[in-house]
Structures are given as C-alpha cells and as structure tokens.
Amino acid sequence: MDSYPAKLFSALVDQIEMGIVVLDADLCIQGWNDYISQRSGSDLEGAIGRPFIEVFPSTDSESFAGMVDMARKRGKHIYNHWLQRAPLVRLNPKEEGDKQPLQSTLFFPFEESSGQRSYGLVMYDTSTVAQSNKYLDAALTALANEQHEQTQLLHQLETASSQLLQSEKLAAIGQLAAGVAHEINNPIGYVFSNLNSLSGYVNDLLKIIDAVDEVGSLDELRQIKRSLEYDYIRSDVGELISESEDGLDRVKRIIGALKDFSYIDEEEFRPADLHRGLETTLNVVNNELKYKAEVVKEYGELPELECILSQVNQVVMNLLVNAAHAIEQFGRITLRTGCDQTYVWFEVEDSGAGIDPKVLNRIFEPFFTTKPVGKGTGLGLALSYNIVQKHNGRIEVRSEAGAGATFRVYLPIFQPSKKPLPGTPK
Ligand SMILES: Nc1ncnc2c1ncn2[C@@H]1O[C@H](COP(=O)(O)OP(=O)(O)OP(=O)(O)O)[C@@H](O)[C@H]1O
Ligand SMILES: [Mg+2]
C-alpha cells in the first residue's frame, strides 16, 4: 500500500463524499474511510475487528442480514436505493429527521490478494437526486393533472360542439319555420280579407239578381243597383281577384322552394357533365337574362363531377337570376368554370349593383332579401347554400358595392362517401 498509485488511491478514498467500509467474512470491520469517521464521530482504531452491527447499533439489522445473505448466495453487488427503504445505517444518530441524508447503499463481496473473502459496503448520499426527483415527480404530477384537465376540456368541447350543432340545426329549422310563417302570413292575410270582401259583394249581387223577380219596374231595379254600389263592386272585383291570385302565387312559390329544400336528399349522386348542366340552365333562364345582360362563357376543361345535377342546376339558376336582377339596365354576366385535383368550380360574375358590405353576411339567410315586396322570397341563396353543403362543397362571394358581385361554387369531384344518403329511394 505504500506505492505511489496506492497512496493516490487511498487519498482518493478519503476525499470522496461516500462512506466506504471493508468487512471480513464474519462482517467485522477491517477499515473505513475518513467520511465514516467524520459523519459517525467514531474512531477507526477502536472499531477494527469488531462486528459492524455492534459498532453501528442503528443498523437496520434485518435489511443488512438480507443484503449479506443475497451477496453471499449470488456473489454479486446488492444495491439498495433510497426510494426502496430507510437508510441502512444512521451513521450519526444525532442527525434527526430531515437532516438525515437520504442514503443508497451498495454491498458487494470481493476477494483479497490472499484469497480471503471480504465485503465492501458503500453508503452515499442521494439527497440531491431525491430533491430533483421530487421536482420531477411534482412536474410529472402537474403534467398528468394538466393532461387530465385537457382531456376533460376536450370532452366538454365535444359535448358542447355537438349540442351547438344540434341547437344550430334547431335554430335553422326554427328560423326557417318562423320565416315561412311570416312570409305566408301576409299573402294569406290579404287573400282572406279579399275573400271576405268578395263574399259581401256576392251577397249584394245575389240581392240584385233576386230583385229582378220582385221589383215592379226597371227603375226600381236600377235604384237597388245604385244603393248596393254595383259600379264600385264591379270595378273592385277584378282587382280583388288578381291580387288574391298574386298572393296565392307567392305562397305557391314559397312552398315550391321549401319542397326543393326537402328534396335534396332524395336523389342519387351520379357522375355528370357540369357544362351540360350549365347549358340547360342557361336555356331555362334565357328569357330572364336576354334583356338584362350579355352572357359570356369562359369554360375550362372539367372532369365528370359526382353530383346531383338537377340540384346543381338549381344553384346555377339562382345565381344567374340574382345576377340579372342586380343589373339595372343592361350589363354582362360571365359564367366561368375550372378545377384542381379535388374540386370543380363554377362562378357567376355580374356587372350589377354589387352587395352592400353591411348585408354581405346575411345574404344566405332564409328570407333575407333586399328586393321589393313581392319580388324576391329571399330563399334562392339559402337553398343554394344548402345544396352546396349537401355536396360537401362551399360557396365564396366577392363583391364591392357598385362594382358587381361574383359567386364561386366549389364542388368535390368525388363525394367522400359513396353510400346513398339517408332517404334515397332504393
Ligand atoms: N349578384 C348579386 N348582386 C347583388 N346582390 C345580390 C346578388 N345575389 C344576391 N344578392 C343579394 O342577396 C339577397 C338574397 O338573395 P336570394 O337569392 O337569397 O334572395 P332573392 O333573390 O332576394 O329572392 P329569391 O331568390 O328567393 O327570389 C338579394 O335580395 C340581394 O340583396
Ligand atoms: Mg335570388
């Protein structure tokens, strides 16, 4: 032990912040380093040759016996981590509670050069590791809590969103129903009041006719005619009837548009040629367009589109008619088409009055119209929006007041699910 490396080694062992004890085969102390002397305040000289448990009576003898037993049987290191158990030895029993360093121990057999079996016991303080472990544990717990909270929030969000969707649907149905009631109420109201007036008139007319058999002279009949205001009845009847016809026509149009809403699910998606659809629709609305605009076509090359063509035509028609209505005298309507990998699009651009930015976010609402009473039902765009949504597409609108409007509709070339929609006839 006197060679230079041996001295170096012994200096190291005395400097190191760990307790090292060497025991013989009978677990009696052979030596220890300075750390043990300092911590325990015991003198090595007086301890040599005495059993370890006797020198350190605070030893957890059961654990110690267990470690020794395993080390003997396995001939290997036995390691005790501070997390698993209390310190094996309280080197300084005066250090109470918190002051006691957390201790990990290593117990291992080895053979001396003479071939004699000895044991090494290493004790080291793991308080710092424990401290950082505590932080880590706290961080992990916080993280787990956070995750739990997030999961809960996500769950709440899902519930809320499905409730919202439900209530939005209900609100839309409610809005539609309220709108229908309001829109129908007015024409029905005046048709009803006209019928009332007409029934009064019919009564008076019957009185005049009945009088033919009762009166003695033509003059008397004329007198009755005058008293019942026959001339007024005559002039008013025509107006009442044509006004009532208009009212009923309006109700019919609203009912027709509502039917279109409900028919959306009842046809099948089929590959179709959009350009053919556009041409058909242009023919249908030609009468409305020809006096209002020159129609310019800028068609791109399109693949077949999986759609319900009659419904797409309906959208095109609504957009074309709106475009024509937006033009005051004579203007231009441009019908464009194009596509990318996923979508086919068509757009209707007009040189009309444009849309006031204040109402731009309302134009798709059912019954929203800026047209004079009796001219628009305000269902065209709402219906179109509905159809485009059923096609998993979208409508974009660009407009500046006074500078015309452009409506562009994107429709997916293939529908996400090929299954027939609910309500589709077999
Ligand atoms: N091309 C357009 N230019 C200017 N305004 C438009 C255009 N298209 C739609 N709008 C505005 O959007 C409103 C709603 O249009 P929508 O087609 O839904 O109803 P409407 O045309 O008024 O009535 P309906 O189509 O039921 O006869 C219109 O009243 C109009 O104010
Ligand atoms: Mg319209």
Side-chain angles (χ1 to χ4, degrees), residues 278-306:
L278 297 185
E279 291 305 310
T280 318
T281 314
L282 274 173
N283 281 336
V284 173
V285 288
N286 192 35
N287 263 345
E288 293 225 28
L289 300 188
K290 65 183 174 196
Y291 302 112
K292 296 303 287 285
E294 164 202 11
V295 177
V296 180
K297 295 176 212 166
E298 293 178 13
Y299 290 174
E301 276 213 14
L302 301 184
E304 285 208 312
L305 172 69
E306 198 179 347

Side-chain angles (χ1 to χ4, degrees), residues 5 44 102 137 158 176 224 241-242 244 261 293 327 335 338 354 372 412 414:
L44 176 61
L102 289 166
D137 265 356
E158 272 166 13
L176 195 69
I224 293 174
I241 289 181
S242 85
S244 304
F261 267 95
I327 295 168
L335 196 53
F414 298 106

Side-chain angles (χ1 to χ4, degrees), residues 1-280:
M1 280 294 273
D2 285 329
S3 64
Y4 176 69
K7 275 187 187 158
L8 198 66
F9 202 72
S10 133
L12 172 91
V13 167
D14 279 335
Q15 292 291 314
I16 202 164
E17 281 285 302
M18 292 180 178
I20 301 173
V21 184
V22 179
L23 305 172
D24 65 11
D26 299 323
L27 307 173
C28 292
I29 291 170
Q30 297 294 294
W32 65 45
N33 67 347
D34 280 358
Y35 179 89
I36 300 277
S37 310
Q38 278 158 23
R39 285 285 314 284
S40 66
S42 306
D43 180 20
L44 176 61
E45 296 299 312
I48 285 186
R50 286 171 56 205
F52 180 80
I53 303 196
E54 189 187 296
V55 178
F56 297 107
S58 71
T59 306
D60 176 348
S61 52
E62 206 175 306
S63 294
F64 187 57
M67 286 173 90
V68 171
D69 197 38
M70 280 207 309
R72 276 185 181 146
K73 273 192 199 139
R74 295 191 198 161
K76 279 190 189 158
H77 296 54
I78 305 300
Y79 175 66
N80 250 332
H81 190 34
W82 57 270
L83 271 181
Q84 289 159 331
R85 56 184 75 230
L88 182 71
V89 185
R90 292 176 176 232
L91 288 174
N92 182 359
K94 283 184 204 138
E95 287 173 350
E96 276 305 322
D98 290 351
K99 298 219 174 65
Q100 274 287 333
L102 289 166
Q103 194 185 63
S104 289
T105 43
L106 185 64
F107 187 77
F108 57 95
F110 68 99
E111 276 181 13
E112 279 182 54
S113 46
S114 59
Q116 199 178 324
R117 164 153 296 218
S118 301
Y119 294 97
L121 176 64
V122 180
M123 292 168 261
Y124 52 99
D125 179 5
T126 31
S127 304
T128 6
V129 185
Q131 194 59 33
S132 41
N133 255 47
K134 227 158 89 183
Y135 291 139
L136 220 79
D137 265 356
L140 276 176
T141 315
L143 225 89
N145 285 344
E146 187 92 345
Q147 200 196 12
H148 180 69
E149 244 169 63
Q150 298 248 344
T151 319
Q152 272 188 330
L153 275 177
L154 215 71
H155 184 69
Q156 280 172 3
L157 212 74
E158 272 166 13
T159 320
S161 116
S162 87
Q163 277 170 354
L164 206 74
L165 216 72
Q166 206 55 34
S167 64
E168 216 166 69
K169 267 191 215 152
L170 285 178
I173 293 170
Q175 198 183 18
L176 195 69
V180 170
H182 178 80
E183 292 295 311
I184 288 182
N185 205 20
N186 192 25
I188 293 281
Y190 62 77
V191 168
F192 192 72
S193 107
N194 288 354
L195 265 181
N196 236 348
S197 312
L198 282 170
S199 110
Y201 292 167
V202 168
N203 260 341
D204 289 349
L205 290 175
L206 289 176
K207 271 187 208 154
I208 296 170
I209 294 169
D210 289 346
V212 170
D213 295 331
E214 291 157 16
V215 292
S217 72
L218 214 54
D219 268 350
E220 210 179 316
L221 189 61
R222 286 199 185 105
Q223 177 60 34
I224 293 174
K225 251 179 86 183
R226 254 196 310 279
S227 75
L228 291 173
E229 293 183 286
Y230 174 78
D231 289 343
Y232 178 76
I233 294 179
R234 202 187 158 88
S235 71
D236 200 28
V237 161
E239 209 173 305
L240 286 185
I241 289 181
S242 85
E243 202 183 75
S244 304
E245 275 173 352
D246 277 356
L248 290 177
D249 191 49
R250 193 167 160 69
V251 172
K252 221 171 110 188
R253 267 170 50 215
I254 292 173
I255 303 279
L258 284 176
K259 265 199 201 144
D260 287 337
F261 267 95
S262 55
Y263 280 163
I264 290 171
D265 283 349
E266 296 188 4
E267 282 176 65
E268 259 185 272
F269 283 87
R270 278 197 200 91
D273 175 1
L274 178 68
H275 287 148
R276 265 182 64 183
L278 297 185
E279 291 305 310
T280 318

Side-chain angles (χ1 to χ4, degrees), residues 318-319 321-322 325 371 376 378-381:
N318 288 331
L319 296 182
V321 171
N322 280 352
H325 284 168
K371 291 172 187 170
L379 283 174
L381 284 181

